[in-house]
Amino acid sequence: MTSAAVDEGWVSEPPDWYDEGEPPDWYETEGAPPPPDDEPPDDGPLDVTAAPSRGSALQVLGDVWGYPGFRGDQATIIDTVVAGGDVVVLMPTGGGKSLCYQVPALVREGTGVVVSPLIALMADQVAALSALGVRAGFLNSTQGGLERSRTERALLAGELDLLYLAPERLTVPATLDLLDRARVALFAIDEAHCVSQWGHDFRPDYLRLSVLHERWPQVPRLALTATATAATRAEIVEKLNLDDAAMFVADFDRPNICYRIVPKDNPRGALLNLICTEHDGQAGIVYCLTRASVDETAAWLTTQGVAALPYHAGMDARTRAANQARFLREDGLVMVATIAFGMGIDKPDVRFVAHLDLPKSVEGYYQETGRAGRDGLPSTAWLAYGLADVVQQRRLIDAGDGDEVYKRQASRHLDAMLALCETVDCRRTQLLRYFGQDGPADGCGNCDTCLVPPQDWDGTLAAQKLLSTIVRLDRRGQRYGVGHLLDIVRGKQTPRVAQLGHDQLSTFGVGADLSEREWRAVVRQMLAARLVHVESSYSTVRLTEASGEVLRGERQVRLRREPAAQPRPKRAAQPKTQPVADGGGEPDPGLFEKLRTWRADTAREQGVPAYVVFHDSTLREIAAVRPTSLEALSQVSGVGAAKLERYGPGVVTLVEQG
Ligand code: ADP
Ligand code: ZN
């Protein structure tokens, strides 16, 4: 949005351009007619051959996943569930939540039932498990009847380790009856924050999941989410009846992500610059607020030579699904999307997440940016933020049709987001504090404010100049938008100024010492701090209660001065906390590229995303260690028994040739 839009009676748009609250495309419909049964039998991903040996959790981790050990609380969580206890798991995206239910599902007798809101991703999740030799399946409306009954039979025969279901399907009587006849090892409720009516991911059927506890009190349950505020946490416990569950709150830091928030000044150009100079040819997500800007931005990036695809809920379902599948399967695509995209996307090598518009809450922002760098390798979270964003978001809240409680909540969320944008302190410390955790005491060294510290300056006088202009106009019974106010303060002789006689005001030209750009930063921060208010109906600026304190000199206004240089992580600079992935020595670049090409071919042949074959971090370790025997390859993190058998000889040959 251009700044002009703020000034020219920028009337709220009809709500349908806005992605919040619309039925998500991945919504499972209860009453969907069953697909015809006369389809050809398929050889889908359901792999019901040999049961993996059930052993201790650590044994299963090594044999199946090829990982040497658990991370953080994983071991304790898994032990609790294996022993039959309920748990609530709060871990950041990429923290390793899936293993918390997948491992116990393999250790305990019976099938682990995973409740997930994302039917569009179930096939990929099952494919990833099948590649590990785990017997997994799903039941949802994308399936044909034959495939479904095949999965049901496997479940009843005890031939499934994991079964994925959407909550809408789980809570229908037929499914409940089916599960009665099966042996259930555990229930994992993924994306458990979907019980929360405050977030944008609310799914009413999550509220009905308390049935699990009533019907199968002896089966352990896990609720898992990456959303960590105390309020959401309390809601999960209450709505899912988890009062007796053990609560695990992980460290929410994502040390490999470099957080950067830049002033919105030619945002598309800045985005292109970011992509070309730091993330050329890499996968990324660009979030926009509106569907129109998603389409425009994707088209524009394409004309600039960036391989970009659009995704929003207004597109037809087929194109949307195709774009999502391409993003997951192909290397180096940029997805331009509304917030309708992203939940459950477990692509590990997303190297950057960019926001072209201000997110509505820190929770949303943290979830969205958390989709970068799940593999633990260095990644960027980049946000462009400006005056118009504050005006627009405040207006969306004011003009929205929520009740007063909702609006107050939304305002609080927005204020926290604005505070993050305007801080002169470490972004990470501020983010973690929002989630009730301590960040690094002396800054993280891997965010823009740590890399290029911004200065703060005394903006009290500037604020008084603007406020007294508003007071003088108020006395005349007049109200104006930001643009005209700044023309007066800066002493700009526009036709409108002349016509209205505003060059006669005593404040005309008192702010000529600051540029237009600097003034906009002043107004933006005053808006963020609620020192002025922009009316939702006509975009006119008015005073607030706090304005008087500033005018009377009772309150000082500290403002942030944007650093001239754009902060960029120094290549050599290591985050103070170590990223999770650690490939050992330096990978051989030639071999790494060879392995990537081999992986792309293999993935295409098998119709799965490349990361299902091996993660980047595994390929990097192989390229560093250069294993020339199956035994040596099996020591690499991410090479479990099934993958060793399937890909081992090919990889060893590649290493020997390389
Ligand atoms: P989440 O669901 O919390 O976002 P995932 O379960 O997808 O995170 O895990 C993120 C990444 O970390 C995955 O690539 C996963 O394989 C890896 N991972 C998780 N736990 C471990 C572990 N103990 N050792 C090695 N890698 C792990
Ligand atoms: Zn920092």
PDB file of all heavy atoms in Angstrom, residues 54-61 103 107:
ATOM      1  N   ARG A  54       9.996 -53.417  17.853  1.00  0.00           N
ATOM      2  CA  ARG A  54       9.705 -52.518  18.952  1.00  0.00           C
ATOM      3  C   ARG A  54      10.774 -52.671  20.007  1.00  0.00           C
ATOM      4  O   ARG A  54      11.014 -53.749  20.508  1.00  0.00           O
ATOM      5  CB  ARG A  54       8.325 -52.830  19.535  1.00  0.00           C
ATOM      6  CG  ARG A  54       7.237 -52.400  18.573  1.00  0.00           C
ATOM      7  CD  ARG A  54       5.867 -52.787  19.046  1.00  0.00           C
ATOM      8  NE  ARG A  54       4.960 -52.710  17.912  1.00  0.00           N
ATOM      9  CZ  ARG A  54       4.318 -51.595  17.571  1.00  0.00           C
ATOM     10  NH1 ARG A  54       4.460 -50.507  18.263  1.00  0.00           N
ATOM     11  NH2 ARG A  54       3.528 -51.583  16.533  1.00  0.00           N
ATOM     12  N   GLY A  55      11.425 -51.583  20.304  1.00  0.00           N
ATOM     13  CA  GLY A  55      12.462 -51.653  21.316  1.00  0.00           C
ATOM     14  C   GLY A  55      12.340 -50.453  22.198  1.00  0.00           C
ATOM     15  O   GLY A  55      11.275 -49.843  22.272  1.00  0.00           O
ATOM     16  N   SER A  56      13.414 -50.100  22.848  1.00  0.00           N
ATOM     17  CA  SER A  56      13.381 -48.909  23.679  1.00  0.00           C
ATOM     18  C   SER A  56      13.279 -47.690  22.770  1.00  0.00           C
ATOM     19  O   SER A  56      13.556 -47.761  21.571  1.00  0.00           O
ATOM     20  CB  SER A  56      14.642 -48.830  24.509  1.00  0.00           C
ATOM     21  OG  SER A  56      15.698 -48.394  23.674  1.00  0.00           O
ATOM     22  N   ALA A  57      12.879 -46.570  23.373  1.00  0.00           N
ATOM     23  CA  ALA A  57      12.702 -45.355  22.586  1.00  0.00           C
ATOM     24  C   ALA A  57      13.999 -44.976  21.872  1.00  0.00           C
ATOM     25  O   ALA A  57      13.998 -44.643  20.685  1.00  0.00           O
ATOM     26  CB  ALA A  57      12.241 -44.223  23.500  1.00  0.00           C
ATOM     27  N   LEU A  58      15.114 -45.061  22.592  1.00  0.00           N
ATOM     28  CA  LEU A  58      16.386 -44.656  21.998  1.00  0.00           C
ATOM     29  C   LEU A  58      16.784 -45.568  20.845  1.00  0.00           C
ATOM     30  O   LEU A  58      17.297 -45.119  19.820  1.00  0.00           O
ATOM     31  CB  LEU A  58      17.468 -44.665  23.087  1.00  0.00           C
ATOM     32  CG  LEU A  58      18.756 -43.915  22.745  1.00  0.00           C
ATOM     33  CD1 LEU A  58      18.477 -42.449  22.453  1.00  0.00           C
ATOM     34  CD2 LEU A  58      19.763 -44.052  23.885  1.00  0.00           C
ATOM     35  N   GLN A  59      16.490 -46.861  21.026  1.00  0.00           N
ATOM     36  CA  GLN A  59      16.773 -47.829  19.962  1.00  0.00           C
ATOM     37  C   GLN A  59      15.956 -47.491  18.716  1.00  0.00           C
ATOM     38  O   GLN A  59      16.471 -47.492  17.609  1.00  0.00           O
ATOM     39  CB  GLN A  59      16.335 -49.207  20.450  1.00  0.00           C
ATOM     40  CG  GLN A  59      17.400 -50.248  20.451  1.00  0.00           C
ATOM     41  CD  GLN A  59      16.833 -51.485  21.138  1.00  0.00           C
ATOM     42  OE1 GLN A  59      16.190 -51.391  22.190  1.00  0.00           O
ATOM     43  NE2 GLN A  59      17.036 -52.631  20.523  1.00  0.00           N
ATOM     44  N   VAL A  60      14.666 -47.225  18.925  1.00  0.00           N
ATOM     45  CA  VAL A  60      13.784 -46.889  17.811  1.00  0.00           C
ATOM     46  C   VAL A  60      14.295 -45.628  17.105  1.00  0.00           C
ATOM     47  O   VAL A  60      14.343 -45.548  15.878  1.00  0.00           O
ATOM     48  CB  VAL A  60      12.336 -46.675  18.321  1.00  0.00           C
ATOM     49  CG1 VAL A  60      11.469 -46.014  17.258  1.00  0.00           C
ATOM     50  CG2 VAL A  60      11.729 -48.019  18.727  1.00  0.00           C
ATOM     51  N   LEU A  61      14.734 -44.640  17.888  1.00  0.00           N
ATOM     52  CA  LEU A  61      15.231 -43.398  17.305  1.00  0.00           C
ATOM     53  C   LEU A  61      16.424 -43.656  16.385  1.00  0.00           C
ATOM     54  O   LEU A  61      16.505 -43.118  15.281  1.00  0.00           O
ATOM     55  CB  LEU A  61      15.636 -42.415  18.415  1.00  0.00           C
ATOM     56  CG  LEU A  61      16.130 -41.047  17.932  1.00  0.00           C
ATOM     57  CD1 LEU A  61      14.955 -40.197  17.447  1.00  0.00           C
ATOM     58  CD2 LEU A  61      16.893 -40.309  19.034  1.00  0.00           C
ATOM     59  N   VAL A 103       7.679 -41.685  18.071  1.00  0.00           N
ATOM     60  CA  VAL A 103       8.478 -42.719  18.750  1.00  0.00           C
ATOM     61  C   VAL A 103       7.607 -43.543  19.706  1.00  0.00           C
ATOM     62  O   VAL A 103       7.606 -44.778  19.627  1.00  0.00           O
ATOM     63  CB  VAL A 103       9.716 -42.101  19.441  1.00  0.00           C
ATOM     64  CG1 VAL A 103      10.421 -43.135  20.308  1.00  0.00           C
ATOM     65  CG2 VAL A 103      10.674 -41.530  18.406  1.00  0.00           C
ATOM     66  N   VAL A 107       6.806 -47.579  20.068  1.00  0.00           N
ATOM     67  CA  VAL A 107       7.206 -48.355  21.249  1.00  0.00           C
ATOM     68  C   VAL A 107       5.989 -49.037  21.891  1.00  0.00           C
ATOM     69  O   VAL A 107       6.047 -50.185  22.298  1.00  0.00           O
ATOM     70  CB  VAL A 107       7.926 -47.452  22.280  1.00  0.00           C
ATOM     71  CG1 VAL A 107       8.234 -48.225  23.555  1.00  0.00           C
ATOM     72  CG2 VAL A 107       9.212 -46.884  21.674  1.00  0.00           C
TER      73      VAL A 107
END
